[in-house]
């Protein structure tokens, strides 16, 4: 009998979301490099890496059904962030566009904490707040 050591992508994301953000000692900590960040990025589908003047950040956007539900989305994210002691930049733009940027401000780059928080945000039950994705059906032009 052969046993596989490979985990599914869902298992990996669950593992990352089960971790806890830990306080960082900024004088001892350095931002992770591109290779490490790209490897961890695979564990948090839907998130993107942004490089803002040499500072790497995680970014993700959602479209809420309306303004009030966008605020509720941000409240749910705030609850997770507060419990982790790790706080992202959150934005509600043009009444229903929710944007979140995560990085470790103290070091000006990414640490594992950022990926842990992103995984926890991804695991939130927020489907009731979001617009349904487009079905891909084309409208007739006749």
């Amino acid at each position: 009998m052969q046993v596989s050591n490979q985990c599914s992508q869902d298992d990996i994301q669950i593992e990352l979301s089960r971790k806890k953000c830990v306080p960082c000692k900024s004088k001892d900590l350095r931002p992770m490099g591109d290779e490490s960040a790209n490897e961890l990025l695979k564990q948090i589908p839907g998130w993107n890496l942004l490089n803002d003047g040499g500072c790497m950040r995680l970014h993700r956007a959602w479209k809420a059904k309306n303004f009030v539900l966008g605020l509720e989305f941000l409240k749910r994210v705030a609850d997770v962030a507060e419990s982790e002691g790790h706080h992202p930049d959150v934005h509600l733009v043009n009444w229903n566009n929710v944007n979140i940027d995560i990085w470790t401000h103290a070091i000006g780059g990414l640490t594992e904490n950022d990926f842990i928080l992103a995984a926890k945000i991804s695991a939130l039950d927020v489907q009731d707040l979001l617009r349904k994705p487009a079905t891909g059906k084309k409208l007739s032009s006749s």
Side-chain angles (χ1 to χ4, degrees):
M1 180 166 124
Q2 188 174 7
V3 177
S4 172
N5 276 345
Q6 294 186 354
C7 297
S8 72
Q9 193 66 24
D10 289 340
D11 291 337
I12 292 170
Q13 186 174 353
I14 289 169
E15 290 304 314
L16 194 54
S17 67
R18 286 185 181 164
K19 290 185 173 187
K20 183 86 174 135
C21 291
V22 295
C24 62
K25 308 268 191 264
S26 61
K27 66 179 181 177
D28 300 328
L29 195 59
R30 301 284 176 261
M32 68 174 53
D34 291 352
E35 188 175 323
S36 297
N38 280 305
E39 195 59 37
L40 284 172
L41 186 65
K42 295 174 187 174
Q43 298 178 34
I44 50 170
W47 290 85
N48 297 299
L49 285 176
L50 295 180
N51 189 327
D52 184 16
C55 175
M56 283 201 310
R57 304 174 181 197
L58 293 173
H59 174 81
R60 187 164 178 189
W62 297 262
K63 191 169 286 281
K65 289 178 181 176
N66 59 47
F67 178 76
V68 172
L69 294 178
L71 291 173
E72 175 60 27
F73 183 101
L74 293 179
K75 169 70 170 93
R76 292 181 192 181
V77 169
D79 290 343
V80 170
E82 191 63 21
S83 72
E84 291 297 314
H86 194 53
H87 304 97
D89 282 11
V90 296
H91 308 273
L92 182 57
V93 182
N94 294 330
W95 71 269
N96 74 333
N97 295 297
V98 177
N99 296 314
I100 297 180
D101 293 301
I102 306 173
W103 75 100
T104 301
H105 297 82
I107 63 164
L110 293 172
T111 65
E112 186 182 41
N113 283 346
D114 303 308
F115 292 87
I116 291 169
L117 182 59
K120 288 178 184 270
I121 291 169
S122 292
L124 287 172
D125 183 12
V126 293
Q127 291 309 309
D128 59 317
L129 308 177
L130 302 177
R131 286 193 171 182
K132 300 283 186 236
T135 61
K137 293 181 182 176
K138 293 184 179 180
L139 297 175
S140 171
S141 59
S142 51

